[in-house]
Amino acid sequence: SHGGAYAGRPLRIWNDGTLTNEDRLGAIGDIHFVMEKAKIGDEMIVVAGDNLFNSDLSDYVRAAQQKGVLVGVYDVKDLEEIRKYNNLGLDADGRIVFFEEKPKEPRSTITAIALYHYPRATLPLIRQYIAEGNNPDQPGRLVQWLYPRIACYTHEVKGLWLDIGSKETYEEAQRLFA
């Protein structure tokens, strides 16, 4: 829509062959599946399909080129709301020092959203994560596993972000963008 660096490049869709929730690979399993099938040997940016943004992500892409592992974060501005997502602790440089899925006692209103830059150096770690039999679903689990092993930085997404993975937030998105 905006053109930019990827305008005119071919889009390739990979079918993981699953037909039901019971045999699905999970979000991390699908990342691994595409890495192997597409023979990805370089950096990649992963964006979950249930994320809706109204802001330009070019600042995120520029930051990713400098920082390595880069996780998009968003301030939901509500400690109760954060319980549905995950909760992060960051140092002064925006490096993740704490990560908890669905926190009972949230420390902040900052959540990691499903927007990730994985540089080449992380590809063997993603393979290791899967090979060790870790949970292949919920992409935040990979970040939770990665941050003690490799520096994982954050980049705040401004504007509007919606996780349209539920009927309620999908309906809200339809109202907002009608």
Side-chain angles (χ1 to χ4, degrees):
S1 57
H2 285 266
Y6 296 98
R9 292 196 182 182
L11 175 67
R12 180 105 192 241
I13 297 173
W14 293 90
N15 182 348
D16 68 6
T18 61
L19 300 172
T20 67
N21 274 344
E22 288 69 38
D23 68 350
R24 68 184 174 156
L25 302 179
I28 305 165
D30 276 332
I31 292 168
H32 180 255
F33 171 82
V34 172
M35 279 173 50
E36 299 307 304
K37 291 294 180 187
K39 297 182 178 26
I40 293 174
D42 204 348
E43 66 183 343
M44 59 183 174
I45 290 180
V46 177
V47 185
D50 58 3
N51 277 272
L52 184 62
F53 308 97
N54 74 345
S55 59
D56 184 342
L57 296 178
S58 55
D59 285 348
Y60 174 86
V61 173
R62 278 192 291 279
Q65 292 166 343
Q66 298 168 1
K67 297 266 185 162
V69 176
L70 190 65
V71 179
V73 296
Y74 190 79
D75 187 350
V76 298
K77 297 179 174 60
D78 182 338
L79 282 174
E80 285 305 310
E81 186 76 6
I82 203 83
R83 294 173 194 269
K84 297 190 311 195
Y85 303 115
N86 56 60
N87 201 204
L88 302 178
L90 308 176
D91 71 9
D93 295 323
R95 183 175 173 173
I96 298 172
V97 295
F98 172 79
F99 189 108
E100 182 182 16
E101 285 285 358
K102 312 247 185 307
K104 289 182 176 35
E105 299 294 327
R107 297 183 183 192
S108 77
T109 59
I110 302 292
T111 190
I113 61 177
L115 171 63
Y116 311 101
H117 171 255
Y118 295 117
R120 179 184 308 204
T122 58
L123 302 186
L125 290 170
I126 295 170
R127 291 183 182 100
Q128 178 185 343
Y129 178 91
I130 293 294
E132 288 178 357
N134 291 296
N135 189 328
D137 206 14
Q138 295 178 322
R141 291 178 190 269
L142 179 58
V143 175
Q144 192 171 9
W145 183 86
L146 278 174
Y147 88 85
R149 292 167 171 82
I150 191 169
C152 296
Y153 291 92
T154 58
H155 180 85
E156 186 173 0
V157 173
K158 302 289 186 186
L160 180 69
W161 165 75
L162 291 172
D163 174 353
I164 57 171
S166 73
K167 186 173 184 240
E168 295 77 27
T169 53
Y170 176 71
E171 289 170 352
E172 179 185 354
Q174 286 185 310
R175 279 193 307 276
L176 288 169
F177 288 91

